[in-house]
Amino acid sequence: MKTLRKASKIIDVVVFVAATLAIAGVFYEGMTLKWYDIVGMFVICMDYSFMPATIIHLIVDRKEKMIWFHVFSMVIILIAIVMKISETDYPVITLVLWYFYIWFLYGTIYVKAFWLDK
């Protein structure tokens, strides 16, 4: 369990950095009205690091208060998978809200784990 907890701390940083870069990249694209390939890579890194991070947190943090955020995240991930399979359209604002949700959640985890628990 200690190894999994250490892995969760590392992946938390990865998710937070990827979310920060994805949000910054999306807003920069909006400001310049150009599409950049690197922003898509940031988004993919954010999404595909968020999924295992959520699963790891569901295992490691099952007795903490933050577990409900991870349960909510898992439900949202499952809804997103169903929507993707069924090819359901969704408004763009949901993506922006998704990015900020991930950013704030992992920002909170990062601050709690690395600054407040010392």
Side-chain angles (χ1 to χ4, degrees):
M1 192 62 90
K2 275 191 165 187
T3 307
L4 201 55
R5 189 165 300 278
K6 287 180 184 178
S8 75
K9 287 186 177 191
I10 293 169
I11 201 164
D12 290 346
V13 173
V14 170
V15 172
F16 182 71
V17 169
T20 302
L21 293 173
I23 291 169
V26 167
F27 279 104
Y28 186 72
E29 281 180 340
M31 288 179 358
T32 61
L33 299 178
K34 294 181 182 176
W35 296 110
Y36 299 99
D37 294 334
I38 191 73
V39 175
M41 294 300 293
F42 293 150
V43 171
I44 288 171
C45 290
M46 178 189 65
D47 284 341
Y48 288 111
S49 62
F50 176 68
M51 286 186 234
T54 300
I55 294 168
I56 289 171
H57 277 288
L58 285 172
I59 296 167
V60 172
D61 297 339
R62 62 181 171 256
K63 295 181 181 177
E64 294 188 21
K65 293 179 186 175
M66 292 279 298
I67 188 68
W68 295 109
F69 290 104
H70 301 299
V71 171
F72 176 74
S73 298
M74 195 64 188
V75 169
I76 296 298
I77 289 170
L78 293 174
I79 291 170
I81 290 170
V82 169
M83 288 178 70
K84 188 70 171 176
I85 291 171
S86 67
E87 297 179 0
T88 305
D89 289 334
Y90 46 87
V92 176
I93 190 70
T94 57
L95 288 177
V96 174
L97 293 174
W98 179 249
Y99 297 165
F100 278 110
Y101 170 73
I102 293 172
W103 192 51
F104 282 119
L105 176 63
Y106 279 86
T108 303
I109 291 170
Y110 177 74
V111 167
K112 182 179 176 279
F114 292 102
W115 292 20
L116 298 179
D117 287 345
K118 289 189 176 186

